[in-house]
Amino acid sequence: MAHVLQDSITTEQKDFPLHSPIVVVPNPNIERWLKINLPKYAPANISLNVRYIFLEKLFEDIFLEGAPSSLKILNQSEIEKLIFKYLWKHKSEKFLSFLENYLESALRTFYLSKKLGIYFKDYELNRSFWIADWAKEKGISIPVFSKSESSKLNEVSEYYNFQKRIYSD
């Protein structure tokens, strides 16, 4: 498959020498693998001027072109910053009381915000029914991508409700 991709890139570079071919990748590991292995199939054993982008970025570039700057797709670090700010601001509220000692440290709060950011991204892919349920409560309709059904059993968990509130707010 890499050979076919490199042939396509080579053809595009010959046809449009000042244009960078775009390769959409699902994750950084695939991007790294392609950067290492595509030159093996290139005519000169070198692969230059190729733009690797993630699918989310491609969607943002296509669908949000010309849209207001307030409307954008957040990257992972922006999500983590928002979660950190939210946790730090609300750390003394009752719904976070089970994390009271943990949230006293900015370093621990930062670590928790990084973990939650990763979980939320995973939920959008593998537990989209949670996200859809949370959005529905706010009157927002979003598609469900995972095959699992929504489970009301999770709603009794204090941790589930904590994540739901952070994601929803």
Side-chain angles (χ1 to χ4, degrees):
M1 230 176 183
H3 180 68
V4 174
L5 177 60
Q6 182 57 50
D7 289 346
S8 177
I9 290 171
T10 302
T11 302
E12 188 173 337
Q13 286 177 329
K14 285 180 183 175
D15 294 344
F16 307 99
L18 299 177
H19 175 73
S20 296
I22 296 173
V23 177
V24 179
V25 293
N27 61 55
N29 296 328
I30 299 295
E31 178 184 6
R32 184 175 315 159
W33 188 90
L34 288 171
K35 285 179 177 179
I36 292 169
N37 289 294
L38 280 182
K40 294 176 186 176
Y41 304 103
N45 290 333
I46 191 165
S47 184
L48 297 173
N49 200 25
V50 178
R51 181 176 170 215
Y52 297 93
I53 64 169
F54 297 111
L55 188 59
E56 295 93 347
K57 179 65 177 153
L58 178 69
F59 286 154
E60 184 177 4
D61 289 349
I62 292 171
F63 296 115
L64 299 180
E65 188 175 323
S69 61
S70 61
L71 184 63
K72 69 176 192 163
I73 298 173
L74 299 175
N75 66 36
Q76 190 66 27
S77 63
E78 291 171 324
I79 291 169
E80 292 164 5
K81 285 178 198 172
L82 288 173
I83 293 170
F84 178 84
K85 287 179 186 177
Y86 184 87
L87 289 173
W88 199 252
K89 179 180 177 184
H90 298 283
K91 66 182 177 180
S92 60
E93 291 191 22
K94 186 178 180 180
F95 82 99
L96 292 175
S97 62
F98 72 103
L99 291 170
E100 183 177 5
N101 292 334
Y102 198 82
L103 296 178
E104 288 177 358
S105 163
L107 188 59
R108 286 182 171 176
T109 305
F110 178 74
Y111 175 77
L112 180 60
S113 67
K114 287 190 75 61
K115 281 296 199 189
L116 285 172
I118 291 167
Y119 289 151
F120 288 160
K121 185 159 184 91
D122 179 63
Y123 293 166
E124 290 173 356
L125 300 173
N126 300 311
R127 295 184 182 168
S128 60
F129 56 89
W130 279 11
I131 306 298
D133 286 348
W134 299 345
K136 195 181 302 179
E137 290 177 10
K138 294 199 173 234
I140 303 168
S141 177
I142 60 171
V144 176
F145 297 108
S146 60
K147 296 177 182 174
S148 303
E149 292 296 319
S150 178
S151 171
K152 298 297 179 186
L153 296 174
N154 292 320
E155 293 186 16
V156 297
S157 164
E158 189 174 16
Y159 193 68
Y160 168 86
N161 289 323
F162 152 72
Q163 292 179 79
K164 173 184 169 185
R165 179 146 180 203
I166 291 174
Y167 191 91
S168 300
D169 288 351

